[in-house]
Amino acid sequence: MLRWSLVAAFAIVCLEGVAHAHDLVPPRPKSQPAAPWPGGRAERHDVVVPVVLVVGEDGTVTSVEVEASVGPELDRAAVETAKRFVFEPALRDGRPVAARIRSVVRFRGEPRVEAEPRAATTSEPAAEPVLAPAAPAPASDAVRDVRVSGTAPPRSASEVVRGRDVMLAAPHRTASDALSVIPGVFVTQHSGEGKAHQIFLRGFDAVHGQDVELWVGGVPVNEVSNIHGQGYADLHFVMPEIIREVQATPGTYDPRQGDFAVAGSIRMKLGYPEPGATIKGTLGSFGARRLFLAYHPKGASEETFAAGEVYQTDGFGPSRAARRASVTAQATHDLSNTLALRLLASTYSTRYDSAGVVPALDVESGRLDRFATLDPRQGGHGTRHQLLLELHEDGEEGRWAVAPFVVFRTLELRQNFTGFSPGPSGALESDNVQQVNESVTAGLTASYRKVKKLLSPKDAVEVGIYGRHDLVDQSQRRLSELDGAPLRTFVDAAVRGTNLAAYADASIHPIERLAVRGGIRVDGLAYSATDRVSSRGEPAAARARSAQGAHLGKKLTLDYALSSRARVLGSYGEGFRSPQARSLSDGERTPFTEVRSWEIGLRYREGARLAGSIAGFFTDLSEDLVFDPTTARNERVPGTARKGIAAELTARAAGGLVLSSSATYTHASFTSGDATYGRGDLLPYVPQLVLRTDAAYKARLGRVLGRDLEGRVGTGLEGLVGRPLPFGEMGRNVFLLDASAGLRLREVELGVDVFNLLDAHWYDGQFVYASNFARSLAPSRVPFRHVTIGPPRTLFFSLTLYV
Amino acid sequence: MKSTNPLLRLSIRIAAASMIALAALVAAPVGCAGEESGTTGRRIALEVRIAASPESKEFTNAKGWKVTLSKAVISTGALYFYDGEPLFASRTGGWARGWVRTAFAHPGHYAPGTARGEILEPSSADLLVGGTLGAGAGVSGPVRSATFAFGVPPRGPLAGELGENVAIVEGTAVKDAETRVFRAELRPDDVRNGHGTFEVEGCPFTAADMQSDGVVTVTVKLETWLDQVAFDDVPESTDGRPVVVPDGLARNQLVRGTKVAGAYVFAYAPR
């Protein structure tokens, strides 16, 4: 009867809110017939299908919904079985009432050990539970520990977790593209398929990651003091198929958020659900070819898998070819009932060409073909190798985890944003610049969370530490137009960075409906930089300088349950933006940009069927960084503020329909002025309205050759409205439609993905500065618009074998 | 048991509501910046004119020659206007002006700053009459200095008259009983600077904050060009027609005069 006790426990937990105001008794199971395996094909292990039931006043089940799909056949069998469940009806003040509860339908596995059931049948239900495969008789159910994993309570109303069904509704070429399913995120790729994307989030131009903290599988992705940009985060090593879940935490409300979490944090969890081996071959437009291989052991957790890809393309225009190869493997192993080990290893390499920027006016006037390149020698290569080992224990009273990691990164970029400029002799020289950044990052995260009754049994406290040390060697050199040899060295430096942090977090429930979550985080950062060349590029005796400082951030979230489905959350958090090490003076106290965030909003959830939120937010920075057209890089500017509204809705209907929409409006402006910027002026480059809708539908179309034929269609619509540029201008809006469709006959699947279905002519990146690509002796020096061209309509056809 | 139709209907309603919301979002007004707010600055249109200073027509130079000009034609190249300080920005003022002379041990390094305006099209003009060089472009903000350039080869309405020269100046110089009727022809090599271009950097731009379309006037102080010229080296005219200033001291002094940043003064006036 333990199984049904678990069901009842679920039922009790699910009657949230209702029990607070009345004397309520949840439904109690009376009769639950065994769930038959679809087609009579039993697995060796149990399969549990979580369902949401509506139990009528007479105790019969009037409605069944699958809360988390396990597969179309199992879902249908679970629904049919659950319809035959009978309960003692729920009671409110002694009277039967209809009630909605969570329950499970268990398909019992048929274990491999044949002899054991004979031995087990001789044992009576004993006082001591026996850890053995269950006997056929329900009365002798074995006690099993069930590990339930879930998402931590949100820190803000707009915090979202995107599961695979939403992630894969629309096609995505890379993990960076997949970030667009997060409300308010817009990504662009302005320098070739191997360079990190530029990320925009809630009024922040995070460039390549300086304002968005990115984690994949528990490993930080942002690179400290990367020569191309602080916080450079390249996600190309992640294959979209192995993204199990993406959690987005906008703002700075969580004590676990550290360096680079200015606009927010994004954490990816990895996993692959398809049991056995997957072989997927793809052919696409412009010579695109991809081979994806994956293996996930049957019966193992989704987190255990190995996957690899090889990809190449000729590109949709000159200087857009790219190649990459990536392998990721992750394994989890239960050392005991509570202690688990996770190992994550990955290796990645890429080489790519880049078409660079073109003057917008030249393209719009027809003087230049929109896919042309003005310097075909741009591009780069990169590698990433990483290893993480995580040990965690989930006990009854608490959870601890320790996860050391190491990352090896190489980046080489050749780029020319400005054409030609006079050299020392006065003659025009190419501005093609090579940047090289090699780094080793070693670090550790550790945390301990304990359930601790302070005001209620649901209270908990958590402490954690984070440490990271980066060894960076970097250089920047001007290249000869003739043979690409380095002509002049601008930067040749060694950088060391250390970040040590500790946080304390508490979750307290002073009254039943109210949860107070908050804590503090202290970060200590230390940098040293040794320059091997002078500011004029001449070799010089190594000049070392160092700086260090600390930041204390306070975080607080108030979470009030209006009902069992609706909650209102108010959040406050303090964060910081760290500087590039080379920009610091000796002994400087590592001037942080202070960040303060506020948010208030409403969250609504109706099981898995419907969830949504709407929130107003405000973020204040003590100083900021804006692209300066004179220096062609981000420069410090006065304080800024971002305020806006974010709304999102995700709906899942029976039969495999999922729909997710979001809209984020942000007004980003200066809060103080200087000689260049005026108070109240808009921040340039940050989008004002970001729209996104993902929709997908799966259905069983029939039976062919004794197998279910399943079809799927999906679409993603992305919109960017209002993109302020310098000098009072507005960049072009963007509307893109992607679509995908597929047919699967169990082991074989055919699919087609279309990107930019409407073949929109759009600009990926937009910048304003002066350039001289025409090698003119009298070039324009007043800043003007440069753009990178977005890809045209692109098709991919794939054939997948599931073995 | 109740039918699942209500659930299906609810699902369809949810999906329809979402699509309607999407359509509304897609149809949102293009651009969200109102009239009252935008990024810093504006693009402005500039008309560029050029003329000789009023003093250019008749003046007495440092060598005591009274010069009366009858012709001054110039070829212009790309002109740029910057927010950086001009080359020899005066640091003295108030009571010290006229008492304390600014001493320059060596030419300073001109750092133009941010370009606020420009005219790129080469042209030519009669300085004594004045003329419009053409339409330029700019962005709002302060301007303090400029770069002047001679156009090589000459373009514009007076290109034919200039021929291969970048400037021609004719006139009469009188000192005591001496009279010289002269014609100075400046060739491209005469105005080439140390970087190999034909620019004169760090010219003063009467401090202004350009916030709207306007007119930029370039005043060429020909008296500065000819200030150090000793016309003794110029042969006397035998027939009253101008004599081309030959290579020599006078010509060198004239060439040096054309490279003085202060000989080109820029000013802005809104329309």
Side-chain angles (χ1 to χ4, degrees):
Chain A
M1 291 305 293
L2 181 62
R3 176 179 43 167
W4 312 129
S5 300
L6 287 173
V7 170
F10 271 114
I12 292 168
V13 168
C14 290
L15 278 179
E16 60 197 36
V18 178
H20 305 317
H22 299 274
D23 179 18
L24 288 172
V25 177
R28 288 168 296 165
K30 273 177 67 175
S31 166
Q32 270 79 20
W37 287 91
R41 300 182 302 276
E43 301 281 345
R44 285 183 177 175
H45 56 83
D46 289 7
V47 172
V48 172
V49 180
V51 292
V52 175
L53 310 177
V54 174
V55 179
E57 295 174 10
D58 60 355
T60 60
V61 173
T62 61
S63 167
V64 182
E65 285 177 45
V66 173
E67 186 165 20
S69 175
V70 176
E73 292 183 347
L74 285 165
D75 291 352
R76 276 193 295 278
V79 168
E80 292 306 314
T81 300
K83 287 178 183 176
R84 292 181 281 133
F85 287 3
V86 179
F87 291 81
E88 294 288 347
L91 301 175
R92 176 190 288 203
D93 299 328
R95 288 180 302 160
V97 293
R100 186 189 304 274
I101 62 168
R102 287 198 176 91
S103 183
V104 296
V105 175
R106 180 181 293 272
F107 296 84
R108 286 228 167 264
E110 292 178 6
R112 62 184 78 83
V113 179
E114 300 301 333
E116 283 185 19
R118 192 184 298 278
T121 53
T122 63
S123 66
E124 296 297 322
E128 248 184 353
V130 177
L131 285 176
S140 57
D141 269 358
V143 172
R144 294 186 185 191
D145 286 333
V146 177
R147 184 174 302 127
V148 178
S149 62
T151 308
R155 292 287 165 157
S156 67
S158 57
E159 185 172 308
V160 296
V161 176
R162 289 291 189 241
R164 187 172 270 119
D165 59 343
V166 174
M167 300 278 302
L168 299 181
H172 301 290
R173 275 174 285 205
T174 66
S176 296
D177 292 339
L179 292 182
S180 56
V181 303
I182 297 169
V185 169
F186 183 75
V187 294
T188 70
Q189 174 93 80
H190 63 246
S191 282
E193 288 199 29
K195 188 179 172 187
H197 285 66
Q198 185 171 4
I199 305 172
F200 299 90
L201 172 60
R202 284 201 176 181
F204 283 92
D205 174 5
V207 198
H208 297 295
Q210 72 175 19
D211 289 334
V212 177
E213 185 189 33
L214 284 153
W215 293 75
V216 172
V219 183
V221 183
N222 303 89
E223 297 175 39
V224 168
S225 289
N226 183 291
I227 189 154
H228 188 71
Q230 172 73 332
Y232 188 92
D234 184 1
L235 287 171
H236 285 96
F237 69 98
V238 183
M239 294 156 268
E241 293 92 339
I242 65 172
I243 301 174
R244 182 161 63 96
E245 174 185 290
V246 177
Q247 177 184 1
T249 307
T252 57
Y253 314 118
D254 192 335
R256 293 159 202 79
Q257 294 176 284
D259 199 5
F260 308 111
V262 176
S265 303
I266 297 174
R267 294 173 186 263
M268 288 185 180
K269 290 184 180 176
L270 303 181
Y272 191 71
E274 198 68 44
T278 302
I279 306 165
K280 178 178 177 183
T282 303
L283 294 176
S285 307
F286 314 112
R289 283 146 284 178
R290 182 176 185 252
L291 179 65
F292 171 78
L293 303 172
Y295 177 71
H296 164 54
K298 283 184 186 177
S301 157
E302 191 180 313
E303 293 179 276
T304 299
F305 71 93
E309 73 163 350
V310 178
Y311 165 82
Q312 69 178 69
T313 179
D314 298 331
F316 61 85
S319 294
R320 289 177 171 87
R323 295 169 183 244
R324 68 172 180 263
S326 177
V327 174
T328 299
Q330 181 171 264
T332 58
H333 178 66
D334 291 336
L335 298 173
S336 73
N337 239 9
T338 57
L339 189 65
L341 184 70
R342 180 171 69 93
L343 178 71
L344 171 65
S346 74
T347 182
Y348 158 79
S349 173
T350 184
R351 200 215 168 278
Y352 58 96
D353 298 327
S354 170
V357 297
V358 289
L361 197 57
D362 288 354
V363 172
E364 290 161 6
S365 66
R367 278 196 297 273
L368 194 65
D369 178 79
R370 70 185 179 112
F371 297 136
T373 178
L374 295 176
D375 188 338
R377 295 159 302 146
Q378 302 177 80
H381 76 264
T383 62
R384 181 185 176 103
H385 315 294
Q386 62 181 31
L387 182 69
L388 172 136
L389 195 69
E390 182 186 60
L391 191 65
H392 67 262
E393 182 167 37
D394 297 292
E396 284 188 8
E397 292 189 359
R399 177 186 200 272
W400 62 264
V402 175
F405 57 84
V406 64
V407 182
F408 301 88
R409 271 279 293 160
T410 299
L411 173 71
E412 183 253 342
L413 281 171
R414 284 168 281 109
Q415 56 199 358
N416 185 348
F417 283 99
T418 49
F420 296 85
S421 60
S425 64
L428 289 176
E429 292 181 348
S430 165
D431 285 340
N432 200 333
V433 167
Q434 175 194 64
Q435 294 178 324
V436 176
N437 199 91
E438 296 175 332
S439 65
V440 178
T441 300
L444 169 90
T445 61
S447 64
Y448 175 64
R449 182 176 181 85
K450 182 179 174 61
V451 175
K452 175 77 179 172
K453 182 183 175 184
L454 299 171
L455 296 176
S456 91
K458 292 188 286 185
D459 297 345
V461 293
E462 178 173 328
V463 292
I465 61 170
Y466 170 65
R468 168 180 180 161
H469 185 67
D470 295 85
L471 306 167
V472 185
D473 210 78
Q474 58 192 207
S475 65
Q476 182 167 313
R477 296 183 167 90
R478 190 176 216 171
L479 300 180
S480 162
E481 182 190 1
L482 296 175
D483 58 4
L487 279 181
R488 221 172 338 280
T489 299
F490 301 115
V491 174
D492 186 359
V495 174
R496 304 289 179 262
T498 303
N499 181 193
L500 297 173
Y503 68 86
D505 184 36
S507 176
I508 301 172
H509 302 76
I511 60 176
E512 190 64 43
R513 287 176 182 259
L514 178 65
V516 179
R517 301 181 200 108
I520 58 170
R521 180 187 176 100
V522 177
D523 279 86
L525 285 91
Y527 298 104
S528 70
T530 303
D531 297 301
R532 302 186 194 104
V533 296
S534 69
S535 57
R536 280 194 294 245
E538 296 153 350
R543 295 180 303 128
R545 58 186 191 280
S546 63
Q548 64 180 49
H551 181 269
L552 172 69
K554 301 179 283 292
K555 330 273 183 174
L556 178 67
T557 298
L558 302 176
D559 182 345
Y560 184 79
L562 297 173
S563 70
S564 61
R565 297 176 187 173
R567 316 181 75 85
V568 62
L569 283 87
S571 310
Y572 170 77
E574 297 168 353
F576 66 95
R577 179 195 285 153
S578 60
Q580 276 268 18
R582 282 184 299 106
S583 68
L584 297 171
S585 303
D586 192 37
E588 195 170 354
R589 280 181 56 244
T590 323
F592 299 104
T593 295
E594 298 286 338
V595 180
R596 294 181 304 166
S597 300
W598 293 262
E599 183 174 310
I600 185 163
L602 184 70
R603 287 174 73 91
Y604 181 87
R605 172 171 283 275
E606 203 174 301
R609 192 171 69 168
L610 188 66
S613 70
I614 183 166
F617 58 87
F618 182 84
T619 301
D620 172 77
L621 269 70
S622 57
E623 61 178 18
D624 211 331
L625 294 168
V626 170
F627 185 79
D628 186 315
T630 307
T631 62
R633 62 170 183 256
N634 279 359
E635 301 287 354
R636 283 188 192 161
V637 296
T640 57
R642 286 124 174 108
K643 56 188 175 186
I645 297 176
E648 65 96 15
L649 178 75
T650 301
R652 294 179 176 86
L657 174 70
V658 62
L659 183 72
S660 180
S661 289
S662 70
T664 304
Y665 171 75
T666 310
H667 182 272
S669 62
F670 289 94
T671 52
S672 57
D674 64 2
T676 306
Y677 298 99
R679 187 177 177 206
D681 289 344
L682 292 180
L683 255 71
Y685 302 111
V686 290
Q688 293 181 307
L689 182 61
V690 178
L691 313 168
R692 177 79 193 182
T693 287
D694 293 85
Y697 182 67
K698 279 186 188 178
R700 177 173 166 270
L701 302 178
R703 296 275 292 176
V704 176
L705 302 176
R707 294 163 167 79
D708 283 338
L709 179 66
E710 295 169 353
R712 63 169 177 85
V713 290
T715 184
L717 173 68
E718 189 164 36
L720 196 72
V721 181
R723 196 168 177 184
L725 294 177
F727 311 118
E729 296 180 326
M730 271 292 174
R732 270 198 187 178
N733 294 329
V734 175
F735 287 106
L736 296 171
L737 179 65
D738 302 329
S740 71
L743 285 173
R744 178 171 177 176
L745 194 66
R746 200 193 293 178
E747 296 96 346
V748 180
E749 180 173 3
L750 289 173
V752 58
D753 297 331
V754 185
F755 297 91
N756 191 3
L757 180 66
L758 303 179
D759 201 21
H761 289 196
W762 64 291
Y763 295 145
D764 198 335
Q766 299 189 62
F767 315 90
V768 176
Y769 59 90
S771 72
N772 182 15
F773 281 99
R775 255 195 240 244
S776 168
L777 293 176
S780 175
R781 297 175 189 173
V782 172
F784 54 97
R785 203 153 49 103
H786 295 72
V787 297
T788 56
I789 305 298
R793 184 190 300 128
T794 310
L795 277 76
F796 291 91
F797 297 95
S798 58
L799 170 66
T800 308
L801 301 177
Y802 301 99
V803 180
Chain B
M1 187 177 299
K2 290 183 183 176
S3 161
T4 55
N5 284 340
L7 182 59
L8 180 60
R9 286 199 295 271
L10 176 62
S11 304
I12 293 171
R13 281 201 296 271
I14 290 171
S18 300
M19 296 305 291
I20 290 169
L22 167 67
L25 291 170
V26 168
V30 172
C32 298
E35 288 287 331
E36 305 76 25
S37 68
T39 50
T40 306
R42 295 287 182 272
R43 292 199 184 270
I44 56 177
L46 301 169
E47 182 184 285
V48 183
R49 299 176 187 164
I50 192 168
S53 62
E55 297 78 15
S56 292
K57 290 183 181 159
E58 188 172 286
F59 60 92
T60 302
N61 74 3
K63 301 296 184 184
W65 290 84
K66 182 179 176 185
V67 179
T68 305
L69 295 178
S70 58
K71 174 185 280 190
V73 182
I74 195 168
S75 163
T76 61
L79 311 182
Y80 301 98
F81 323 134
Y82 296 98
D83 65 358
E85 293 283 354
L87 193 57
F88 298 135
S90 172
R91 296 288 185 267
T92 59
W95 66 270
R97 188 170 290 163
W99 288 68
V100 179
R101 292 188 178 279
T102 307
F104 302 101
H106 59 276
H109 295 288
Y110 175 54
T114 302
R116 294 287 181 192
E118 64 193 12
I119 176 170
L120 301 179
E121 278 297 309
S123 188
S124 50
D126 184 332
L127 291 175
L128 297 182
V129 171
T132 298
L133 296 179
V139 293
S140 60
V143 282
R144 297 186 188 84
S145 65
T147 296
F148 179 86
F150 292 92
V152 178
R155 294 272 190 267
L158 300 179
E161 184 168 348
L162 284 162
E164 294 181 355
N165 301 303
V166 297
I168 297 173
V169 179
E170 286 183 4
T172 306
V174 177
K175 178 179 176 182
D176 298 329
E178 301 283 334
T179 300
R180 301 289 188 272
V181 183
F182 67 90
R183 174 183 169 94
E185 296 176 344
L186 291 163
R187 299 181 290 267
D189 281 345
D190 293 329
V191 297
R192 195 187 297 274
N193 62 22
H195 302 306
T197 68
F198 308 106
E199 291 180 330
V200 182
E201 296 179 329
C203 304
F205 199 125
T206 305
D209 188 7
M210 301 195 299
Q211 290 298 328
S212 62
D213 297 350
V215 177
V216 171
T217 302
V218 185
T219 301
V220 181
K221 300 170 86 169
L222 297 170
E223 68 270 26
T224 302
W225 281 20
L226 296 161
D227 190 55
Q228 298 294 322
V229 175
F231 286 91
D232 309 79
D233 291 346
V234 178
E236 288 186 54
S237 174
T238 57
D239 55 2
R241 290 212 289 253
V243 175
V244 175
V245 176
D247 291 341
L249 182 61
R251 197 168 193 290
N252 290 345
Q253 290 162 337
L254 168 61
V255 167
R256 275 199 290 275
T258 64
K259 297 181 178 178
V260 174
Y264 313 89
V265 180
F266 293 70
Y268 162 82
R271 283 193 190 281

